Amino acid sequence: MIEIEDAWVRIERHVRQNETVEVDLQQAVGRVLATQLDSDSDSPPFSKSLVDGFAVGSPPAETVSYLISEIVTAGNVPTKTLSAGQATQIMTGAPIPEGSIGVIMVEETQASDDRRIVVTSTNFSMGQNILNQGRVVSKSEKLLDSGYRLQAHHVGALAEFGINRVDVVRKTNVAVLVTGDELVPIDETPGPGQIRNSNGSLIASMIDSAGGEATILGVGRDNMSDLLEKIAIGLQHDILVIAGGVSAGVLDLVPKCLTESRVEQDFHKINLKPGKPLWFGTRTQNSESDPLTQKQDKTLVFGLPGNPVSTLVCFKLFVEPIIRRLDGGAKEPMFYTGSLSADFHFTGGRRTFWPCRFVRRPDTGINNREGSELEPLPWVGSSDQVRFLYADALVEFAGERQTFHAGQTVRYVKL
Ligand code: AMP
Ligand code: MG
């Protein structure tokens, strides 16, 4: 039995970033940028007005009223050069005429006749309300380093520079195989001894949220031939996740099938509750592997125990970070710290991850989500996923039988 930290080190050894693909900018959200992006032009591309008002050729202190020489709206260009005593009526975003020394907001002016304005405010500074060409960034300057995971707010900034295709790291493809003779589809009513295949949906959603691409291999029944056949397909992916069949039951055939499929075991069993029977290994690709689905030289294979919460916890701790590493993500911290909102009685034993919710304080209007207070939920054990309907985090408890007191600092993993 190994420790969680050892498992991370062992798994991390096999991380090889997926190759680069070019995609449309909008498709790149959630994916890691593979090349540096530079500006194709100055920003702003021309000196522009920041307000609706009047570009002036001399300061108001020297000028009783200004003669309006033309009107320039956004999308048009000025044709007249300003000299002292002249103004151009200009709209926000329109190019500044030659000779302007600043723009006075329309609210600070009054029309004196059809062709003239007077300024009502005494405040004026040279260059006011003008954003000079290249003030934000100049042409060919670096906009963003490679390695960033793009978010929606990056898209607007990149689109400004005409970047409509970007190189990103390919998404990690993950095959999902759930196992068990007892499983029926979730839209069916289970017969005697049967249960719904909730793990299939759980794992597929977790892959989606981690930014991976799930391939569902269906339910493998608890016999060697069915499992071997489905494992063979699963091994054509970057990652194969198998749920169930890795513990000590008579029909827990997964480790045997993996060995037979030439998957090399790295570890089996971990000091973790729930999740002790976790299995991990790798299979080096041979030339028969399908080049369309498999571009990594190795498939990472995770055998997760089938109890739904064991599946969830093992996926969260070990599979999710690896999906995000293969697709170019940096190593991220797993643990956060918070404090308990109530006493918790720990029965001792294996390192335990217990579902907790963040205490929210609607009275202050602050959703106390980060750096939070955590309330342990009344959880029944590894088959109880109902408690997770209200859970925000998994809090780690370890050591001998003891009471963890309210206010005590704890480590947690975010769900
Ligand atoms: P196993 O790891 O195969 O021994 O399964 C442990 C427990 O998890 C058993 O009670 C299974 O019925 C249950 N289980 C296994 N696979 C699934 C699944 N896909 N969905 C829901 N429960 C499952
Ligand atoms: Mg089973």
Side-chain angles (χ1 to χ4, degrees), residues 233-268:
I233 304 168
L235 288 174
Q236 294 173 7
H237 297 75
D238 301 322
I239 297 177
L240 167 59
V241 173
I242 306 176
V246 288
S247 335
V250 288
L251 286 181
D252 287 339
L253 304 170
V254 168
K256 196 166 166 211
C257 289
L258 287 172
T259 307
E260 210 154 292
S261 308
R262 292 183 294 112
V263 182
E264 204 180 312
Q265 178 184 318
D266 193 318
F267 65 83
H268 189 191

Side-chain angles (χ1 to χ4, degrees), residues 240-307:
L240 167 59
V241 173
I242 306 176
V246 288
S247 335
V250 288
L251 286 181
D252 287 339
L253 304 170
V254 168
K256 196 166 166 211
C257 289
L258 287 172
T259 307
E260 210 154 292
S261 308
R262 292 183 294 112
V263 182
E264 204 180 312
Q265 178 184 318
D266 193 318
F267 65 83
H268 189 191
K269 295 200 174 67
I270 184 160
N271 180 18
L272 171 64
K273 188 177 175 178
K276 180 176 156 197
L278 177 68
W279 193 103
F280 172 71
T282 57
R283 217 290 287 260
T284 304
Q285 289 312 317
N286 55 27
S287 49
E288 298 149 29
S289 61
D290 181 352
L292 285 178
T293 52
Q294 171 57 257
K295 294 183 184 100
Q296 286 274 357
D297 62 347
K298 249 181 209 174
T299 299
L300 311 190
V301 183
F302 293 87
L304 317 182
N307 252 321

Side-chain angles (χ1 to χ4, degrees), residues 272-277 305 309-310 313-314 350-353 379 381-382:
L272 171 64
K273 188 177 175 178
K276 180 176 156 197
V309 181
S310 311
V313 170
C314 288
R350 267 181 287 142
R351 288 171 72 179
T352 299
F353 285 81
W379 181 48
S382 58

Side-chain angles (χ1 to χ4, degrees), residues 179-180 182 222 245 252:
T179 71
E182 71 279 31
D222 292 320
D252 287 339

